[in-house]
Amino acid sequence: MKLCPKPRAILAGGVMATMLVAALMAGCSPSAPSQAPASDAEGGNAPAAAEQTTKAAMFSPTYNPDGPVITQMEDGTLIQRTPVSGDDYNVQVLDADVRGCYACHDNLNELMLNYYPEHNPSQGLEGVDPTISQCLDCHNRASYAGNLGGMLHAIHNVESSSTEVGCFNCHTTTVEGGMALWDQVKYDELKGITAVENVSGTFNYDQDLTVSQDQMPNAQWMGNDYDIMRFDNTAEGKPLDQEMFDTWEISITGEVAEEKTWKLTDLIAEAEQAGVIVTTPLVAQCTINPLGGEAVAQVEVTGIPLEWILEKVDINDNAVGAMWYTPDGERAGYRGVNLDELPGHTSLLAYQFNGEPISWNNGYPCVMWIGGICADHISKNFSELRITDEDHSLGAEGVPFPGEGTLQSSGKPNLGFMNTFEGTVIQAGQPFAFEGWANGFDVPVTALEFSMDGGETWQRCETPNIDNNRWIHWTYEFTPDAENGDTAYVLCARAIDATGRVTPTPVKVMVNAYTQMPQPTN
């Protein structure tokens, strides 16, 4: 973790008094200049005279007189999180290079894995920049997740902490005199961002992209013994147990004329002989995936159609829904399904992802996967299908938790950027392809919209006739005008589904275009 210097206690525009009042009201005070003040005769600190404050003293240790900090990723991509401004306002006044989460931390996901390995959303789609907004999205909606603001203030400000941060590393003041998170309002504060009215990029999409199964969203809630087994076996690196696969049983019980049980291997052999085995890409997105979050992935799934398995039993007339269970009788998933809802959803007893056995983490030896909905309908360590006369209707609006009410999906339809990182440096006059994904849970996404003027104007890009069991993998190619010189651009993106519902808040990413590509500053 990087040692994060404290920003200077200066502001342009004559709002220093407001800033001080707001800081005191928030229970913190802005940092002093980096030059140590002189001591008076009584051992106190005497304030240095303003006219004696040198430029070196006014600016943080990371101050770069030639412009913002530029780092380089392992693949050679340059990252510059502060735009160039002709008067160096962003660096000299706003001190933007030492503000926000990524001023101190290289990757929030890796930070959480190191700090708290049991943090549930820490496994997910690669190539995503986790943000403080995504963290707040989950914590603010889930009472069990805890007060994120309280936790972060405690972690960053306790006396035993090894970090050196001040209020304005994370916050900024508002015009009204309040406090806001820098990362959430920085585009309104920074200079050097060029707005493009009626942006017109080249949009392409497909639904075939798959990723490795270790990028699948995984919430280890530890609700039953099999949850604990998966977590332990993954942590210990235990090899997959072939005997478990060979002896695993699948049962159909409940509202049927006769309950039946098969070995998983026998079902697979019979399905192969019948020619009904399905291999297809399917998307999994957690219901509580925040806007633009990483709790989404698509893998190639191989399995036996649920409808084919159900044909092997006589279902009672009063049957309504189905629920999934592990061998010890514990529920294997959060949600079931009503039988009349299965058409239109690719529903598989899955035993392979990407042509390989399912990992411990993802539910070895098999899962029940109901497609075209949400990851809460992927039931790990599935062994028993219990048909009931109860309503188990599908729905991506929320997942009931005993005593916790309902968690609402914050991003429906949801979309995000992948492999397009905040502050990426690109070549002016040359096309650059933003990349991302979109998914509407149980409602198809019918269009994506893009803006480069803060949402004042939008370019609509249709996505007709999609397979809702899969995600939309999209690219948006934009060529920065070289005549604009060295400047930043912020792309806003949102999705629209078949009901007309629009992504609640657009996702955004900033890139920096240069007429001549710069070199890293570190």
Side-chain angles (χ1 to χ4, degrees):
M1 183 176 65
K2 294 177 284 189
L3 186 64
C4 193
K6 297 183 181 180
R8 302 170 301 283
I10 60 173
L11 274 186
V15 296
M16 185 59 184
T18 302
M19 179 175 174
L20 286 169
V21 171
L24 292 172
M25 291 173 64
C28 57
S29 58
S31 304
S34 58
Q35 182 179 14
S39 298
D40 61 20
E42 296 180 1
N45 291 329
E51 60 270 22
Q52 294 176 338
T53 305
T54 65
K55 193 171 192 177
M58 288 174 63
F59 302 121
S60 73
T62 61
Y63 169 68
N64 176 13
D66 298 321
V69 172
I70 302 176
T71 60
Q72 189 170 36
M73 298 177 65
E74 291 183 359
D75 65 358
T77 301
L78 297 179
I79 301 294
Q80 176 187 314
R81 295 185 177 274
T82 299
V84 171
S85 57
D87 55 2
D88 284 340
Y89 173 84
N90 294 337
V91 173
Q92 297 183 6
V93 177
L94 294 182
D95 210 10
D97 274 331
V98 295
R99 303 181 78 177
C101 295
Y102 284 91
C104 300
H105 306 295
D106 293 323
N107 185 287
L108 295 185
N109 192 27
E110 293 179 2
L111 175 70
M112 284 308 307
L113 283 172
N114 292 330
Y115 183 77
Y116 184 48
E118 292 81 10
H119 187 254
N120 282 318
S122 291
Q123 175 179 307
L125 185 65
E126 295 177 359
V128 175
D129 263 341
T131 67
I132 188 64
S133 294
Q134 293 169 7
C135 299
L136 285 166
D137 195 356
C138 185
H139 280 258
N140 287 347
R141 289 182 295 107
S143 59
Y144 60 82
N147 175 4
L148 183 64
M151 288 188 286
L152 291 182
H153 281 98
I155 291 169
H156 286 82
N157 289 291
V158 294
E159 291 183 1
S160 60
S161 173
S162 61
T163 59
E164 291 289 340
V165 297
C167 294
F168 292 98
N169 283 117
C170 304
H171 299 279
T172 188
T173 53
T174 65
V175 175
E176 294 79 14
M179 300 286 282
L181 284 168
W182 170 257
D183 279 337
Q184 293 186 319
V185 300
K186 61 184 179 182
Y187 298 137
D188 298 326
E189 303 286 334
L190 293 165
K191 288 186 177 182
I193 299 176
T194 296
V196 180
E197 186 178 2
N198 296 313
V199 65
S200 181
T202 301
F203 175 74
N204 288 289
Y205 74 96
D206 66 80
Q207 294 198 269
D208 300 324
L209 178 72
T210 58
V211 300
S212 60
Q213 66 166 303
D214 60 4
Q215 298 181 54
M216 287 188 63
N218 242 301
Q220 302 289 7
W221 297 116
M222 304 301 176
N224 59 53
D225 289 342
Y226 279 86
D227 293 339
I228 297 171
M229 177 199 72
R230 289 196 307 272
F231 183 87
D232 288 345
N233 289 350
T234 300
E236 296 170 5
K238 182 178 180 180
L240 297 178
D241 186 340
Q242 185 61 44
E243 183 180 358
M244 175 185 284
F245 189 93
D246 294 339
T247 59
W248 195 265
E249 293 184 338
I250 302 296
S251 300
I252 299 181
T253 64
E255 294 295 336
V256 293
E258 181 183 358
E259 296 182 348
K260 292 188 176 182
T261 299
W262 306 265
K263 281 188 175 182
L264 173 61
T265 51
D266 292 340
L267 268 181
I268 293 172
E270 186 178 346
E272 286 177 339
Q273 186 174 5
V276 298
I277 297 292
V278 172
T279 298
T280 183
L282 293 175
V283 63
Q285 181 182 188
C286 282
T287 309
I288 59 173
N289 190 30
L291 289 167
E294 59 182 5
V296 60
Q298 179 162 284
V299 295
E300 186 180 73
V301 180
T302 297
I304 306 170
L306 175 57
E307 291 90 339
W308 183 81
I309 299 174
L310 289 174
E311 290 175 359
K312 295 181 171 296
V313 297
D314 293 324
I315 300 174
N316 296 341
D317 292 339
N318 64 330
V320 176
M323 197 63 199
W324 333 107
Y325 293 86
T326 60
D328 58 2
E330 296 286 343
R331 281 178 56 166
Y334 305 129
R335 298 296 296 269
V337 61
N338 279 358
L339 300 178
D340 61 2
E341 295 176 314
L342 288 175
H345 297 273
T346 301
S347 304
L348 301 175
L349 169 55
Y351 56 90
Q352 285 186 350
F353 292 162
N354 295 335
E356 300 176 346
I358 297 171
S359 68
W360 285 120
N361 221 15
N362 289 326
Y364 180 83
C366 64
V367 305
M368 178 56 69
W369 188 310
I370 308 298
I373 182 67
C374 60
D376 307 280
H377 294 272
I378 301 173
S379 302
K380 301 175 182 180
N381 308 116
F382 163 71
S383 179
E384 178 192 352
L385 189 162
R386 190 177 302 173
I387 297 176
T388 76
D389 57 3
E390 299 175 355
D391 180 12
H392 293 295
S393 57
L394 296 169
E397 290 299 324
V399 182
F401 283 79
E404 300 291 351
T406 300
L407 295 180
Q408 297 299 315
S409 171
S410 66
K412 184 182 179 183
N414 203 348
L415 80 164
F417 295 98
M418 55 192 296
N419 304 317
T420 305
F421 300 98
E422 175 72 5
T424 296
V425 177
I426 64 176
Q427 178 70 58
Q430 299 294 322
F432 174 78
F434 297 85
E435 182 183 7
W437 61 271
N439 176 248
F441 295 102
D442 57 330
V443 182
V445 170
T446 56
L448 271 65
E449 293 187 335
F450 300 93
S451 173
M452 269 195 177
D453 58 2
E456 294 295 322
T457 61
W458 293 89
Q459 178 186 1
R460 184 181 177 94
C461 303
E462 305 287 342
T463 56
N465 305 317
I466 69 162
D467 179 355
N468 200 44
N469 295 283
R470 305 182 183 189
W471 67 4
I472 295 173
H473 167 239
W474 56 265
T475 59
Y476 185 81
E477 191 174 274
F478 165 75
T479 302
D481 190 343
E483 293 186 0
N484 290 335
D486 299 342
T487 188
Y489 300 89
V490 175
L491 181 67
C492 305
R494 65 188 185 187
I496 301 171
D497 69 21
T499 69
R501 184 171 178 172
V502 182
T503 304
T505 303
V507 294
K508 303 177 183 180
V509 68
M510 183 187 72
V511 296
N512 290 281
Y514 276 85
T515 54
Q516 292 186 346
M517 293 294 282
Q519 296 296 315
T521 58
N522 62 338

